[in-house]
Amino acid sequence: MKSDSSASAAPLKGLGGLLRSSEPVPSGPACSLAVDLLEEAADFLVVHLDFRAALATCERAWLSLASESLAEEPARTSLEVKCSLCVVGIQALAEMDRWQEVLSWVLQYYKVPEKLPPKVLELCILLYSKMQEPGAMLDVVRAWLQDPGNQDLPEYGALAELHLQRVLLPLGHLSEAEELVTGSTAFDEEQRLGGLHVIHAARLQQTQEHSGSQQTQELNQEGSLSHKFQSLLMLLHQLWDSAMSYFFCLPFKKSLLVALILCLLVVRFDPASPSSLPFLYKLAQFFHWIRKARFSRLYQLPIHD
């Protein structure tokens, strides 16, 4: 954001929140210092592009408001000055690429999310949404919307819709989004139908993505099993080749003796029985074939002196 100040300030400039030094601010004797500091901070931000000085001036103004007694001051004037200070401070933090600090910086003055001014909450939602971190605003906006004192504000409907579009839907909290649309009086019938349509489309897309992910995982598992099976077949083939090579290297008589012993141990037939004669005949033919194959292999070997 620091390298692209115009992009970082984009969600903040379109809301009429920046207070320039030429704009009048309602003031009284008790908060006149805060108003002067607010105008100075706005000059640092807009004219001099000194964002660090703008933030520091906003913090000085907040300290002056905290230290002064505002009993004689109209509540509206004090709230407008505080809101304007937050707008300038948020803009300064964003321009310095310190947008992660915006929420904590604002809450240190307002203490709880329910007390945030609608304009400040809107700026925070837009900023964190633009930086693809809407999850940071989830609990804050949820608490603000559930507060009974905020539900009568004229900005409540716009903030509820902004919460739906910029926080709940990107995070995939579709059940909560549906509850907000159907259970909140902030949406009229047309907005409710449009919101439910968008939620249905998002749920369908989420289901398709989940199904595609499962299919990819199953294909990967099948490919892994197939690869393991091929490796096992190759290993068995190597073992068989090694055993046959060792078998062909044995003298013929030893090979015949080993085969007969294996037959006696495994098959357990009686060599003296007439029923075993065909088997012995076939076994003799088999070893005769082995001997011929062995001799042919020996003749094919090169002769060394």
Side-chain angles (χ1 to χ4, degrees), residues 110-171:
Y110 285 97
K111 307 302 180 185
V112 292
E114 295 84 349
K115 300 300 182 182
L116 290 176
K119 184 181 293 185
V120 172
L121 184 62
E122 184 180 6
L123 290 178
C124 291
I125 295 174
L126 292 173
L127 178 61
Y128 281 92
S129 173
K130 181 179 177 62
M131 302 312 298
Q132 299 181 355
E133 290 291 341
M137 296 300 302
L138 180 62
D139 293 334
V140 174
V141 187
R142 184 186 294 161
W144 194 93
L145 292 175
Q146 292 175 354
D147 185 75
N150 296 325
Q151 295 178 3
D152 295 331
L153 296 176
E155 299 91 349
Y156 184 84
L159 285 173
E161 187 173 1
L162 192 64
H163 180 54
L164 172 68
Q165 297 290 341
R166 297 299 186 98
V167 180
L168 294 180
L169 291 180
L171 291 176

Side-chain angles (χ1 to χ4, degrees), residues 225-292:
L225 291 176
S226 177
H227 180 70
K228 290 180 180 179
F229 182 69
Q230 291 178 359
S231 300
L232 179 60
L233 288 179
M234 292 179 62
L235 178 61
L236 292 176
H237 181 69
Q238 292 174 358
L239 291 175
W240 173 255
D241 289 343
S242 177
M244 292 303 297
S245 299
Y246 177 75
F247 182 76
F248 279 121
C249 291
L250 291 176
F252 178 73
K253 292 182 179 180
K254 290 184 179 180
S255 301
L256 180 60
L257 180 60
V258 170
L260 288 174
I261 292 174
L262 288 175
C263 289
L264 290 173
L265 292 176
V266 178
V267 184
R268 295 186 178 181
F269 69 95
D270 185 6
S273 175
S275 61
S276 63
L277 292 178
F279 177 77
L280 291 175
Y281 176 72
K282 291 182 180 180
L283 185 64
Q285 285 184 333
F286 176 70
F287 277 100
H288 178 68
W289 175 81
I290 291 177
R291 183 171 61 179
K292 288 179 63 177

Side-chain angles (χ1 to χ4, degrees), residues 52 55 59 89-90 93-94 96-109 124 127-128:
R52 189 180 302 276
L55 181 64
E59 292 174 344
I90 291 172
L93 286 170
M96 290 189 292
D97 200 16
R98 292 168 56 184
W99 58 271
Q100 301 93 333
E101 306 174 27
V102 165
L103 189 58
S104 59
W105 184 83
V106 169
L107 288 177
Q108 73 176 332
Y109 298 114
C124 291
L127 178 61
Y128 281 92

Side-chain angles (χ1 to χ4, degrees), residues 3 110 175-176 242 245 305:
S3 60
Y110 285 97
S175 298
E176 184 177 351
S242 177
S245 299
D305 295 337

